[in-house]
Coordinates of all heavy atoms in Angstrom, one line a residue:
Chain A
G375 N 144.0 116.1 122.8 CA 142.8 116.6 122.4 C 142.9 117.6 121.3 O 141.9 118.2 120.8
K376 N 144.1 117.8 120.7 CA 144.3 118.8 119.7 C 144.2 118.1 118.4 O 144.5 116.9 118.2 CB 145.7 119.4 119.7 CG 145.8 120.4 121.0 CD 146.1 121.8 120.6 CE 145.9 122.6 121.7 NZ 147.0 122.5 122.8
T377 N 143.8 118.8 117.3 CA 143.8 118.3 115.9 C 145.1 118.4 115.3 O 145.7 119.4 115.4 CB 142.7 119.0 115.2 OG1 141.4 118.9 115.9 CG2 142.4 118.4 113.8
E378 N 145.5 117.3 114.6 CA 146.8 117.2 114.1 C 146.8 116.5 112.7 O 145.9 115.6 112.7 CB 147.8 116.5 115.0 CG 149.2 116.9 114.9 CD 150.1 116.1 116.0 OE1 149.6 115.8 117.0 OE2 151.2 115.8 115.7
L379 N 147.6 116.8 111.7 CA 147.6 116.2 110.5 C 148.2 114.8 110.6 O 149.2 114.6 111.4 CB 148.3 117.0 109.5 CG 147.6 118.2 109.0 CD1 148.6 119.1 108.1 CD2 146.4 117.9 108.2
C380 N 147.7 113.9 109.9 CA 148.2 112.5 109.9 C 149.4 112.5 108.9 O 149.5 113.4 108.1 CB 147.2 111.4 109.4 SG 145.7 111.2 110.5
H381 N 150.2 111.4 108.9 CA 151.2 111.2 108.0 C 150.6 110.1 107.0 O 150.0 109.2 107.4 CB 152.6 110.8 108.5 CG 153.3 111.9 109.1 ND1 154.6 111.9 109.3 CD2 152.9 113.2 109.2 CE1 155.1 113.1 109.7 NE2 154.1 113.9 109.7
T382 N 150.9 110.2 105.7 CA 150.4 109.1 104.8 C 151.8 108.5 104.1 O 152.7 109.4 103.9 CB 149.6 109.6 103.6 OG1 150.2 110.7 102.9 CG2 148.3 110.3 104.3
L383 N 151.6 107.4 103.9 CA 152.7 106.6 103.1 C 152.1 105.6 102.2 O 151.0 105.1 102.4 CB 153.5 105.7 104.1 CG 154.2 106.5 105.3 CD1 153.4 106.4 106.5 CD2 155.6 106.0 105.5
N384 N 152.8 105.3 101.1 CA 152.3 104.3 100.2 C 153.4 103.7 99.4 O 154.6 104.2 99.4 CB 151.2 104.8 99.3 CG 151.6 105.7 98.3 OD1 152.6 105.5 97.6 ND2 150.7 106.5 97.9
G385 N 153.2 102.6 98.9 CA 154.2 101.8 98.1 C 153.6 100.8 97.2 O 152.4 100.4 97.5
S386 N 154.4 100.4 96.2 CA 153.9 99.3 95.3 C 154.3 98.0 96.1 O 155.4 97.8 96.4 CB 154.4 99.4 94.0 OG 155.0 100.6 93.8
S387 N 153.4 97.1 96.0 CA 153.8 95.7 96.6 C 153.0 94.8 95.9 O 152.0 94.0 96.5 CB 153.4 95.8 98.2 OG 153.6 94.4 98.6
L388 N 153.2 94.6 94.6 CA 154.2 95.2 93.7 C 153.6 95.5 92.4 O 152.3 95.2 92.2 CB 155.3 94.3 93.5 CG 156.3 94.1 94.6 CD1 157.0 92.8 94.4 CD2 157.4 95.1 94.6
A389 N 154.3 96.3 91.5 CA 153.9 96.6 90.2 C 154.0 95.4 89.3 O 155.1 94.8 89.3 CB 154.6 97.8 89.6
L390 N 153.1 95.0 88.5 CA 153.1 93.5 87.9 C 154.0 93.5 86.6 O 154.8 92.6 86.6 CB 151.6 93.2 87.5 CG 150.8 92.4 88.5 CD1 151.2 91.1 88.7 CD2 150.7 93.1 89.9
P391 N 154.0 94.4 85.7 CA 154.5 94.1 84.4 C 156.1 93.9 84.5 O 156.6 92.9 84.0 CB 154.4 95.4 83.6 CG 153.2 96.1 84.3 CD 153.4 95.8 85.8
R392 N 156.9 94.7 85.3 CA 158.2 94.4 85.4 C 158.7 93.3 86.3 O 159.6 92.6 86.1 CB 158.9 95.8 85.8 CG 158.7 96.8 84.8 CD 159.1 98.2 85.3 NE 158.9 99.3 84.4 CZ 158.8 100.6 84.8 NH1 159.0 100.8 86.1 NH2 158.4 101.6 84.1
V393 N 157.7 92.9 87.3 CA 158.0 91.8 88.0 C 157.9 90.5 87.0 O 158.8 89.7 87.2 CB 157.1 91.7 89.2 CG1 157.2 90.2 89.8 CG2 157.4 92.8 90.2
L394 N 156.9 90.7 86.3 CA 156.7 89.6 85.3 C 157.8 89.5 84.3 O 158.4 88.5 84.0 CB 155.3 90.0 84.5 CG 154.7 88.8 83.6 CD1 154.5 87.5 84.4 CD2 153.5 89.3 82.8
A395 N 158.2 90.7 83.8 CA 159.4 90.6 82.9 C 160.6 90.1 83.6 O 161.3 89.2 82.9 CB 159.7 92.1 82.4

Side-chain angles (χ1 to χ4, degrees):
Chain A
K376 292 245 168 66
T377 304
E378 207 178 325
L379 291 171
C380 301
H381 280 195
T382 61
L383 304 95
N384 70 37
S386 351
S387 174
L388 286 154
L390 274 284
R392 294 176 192 156
V393 171
L394 191 59

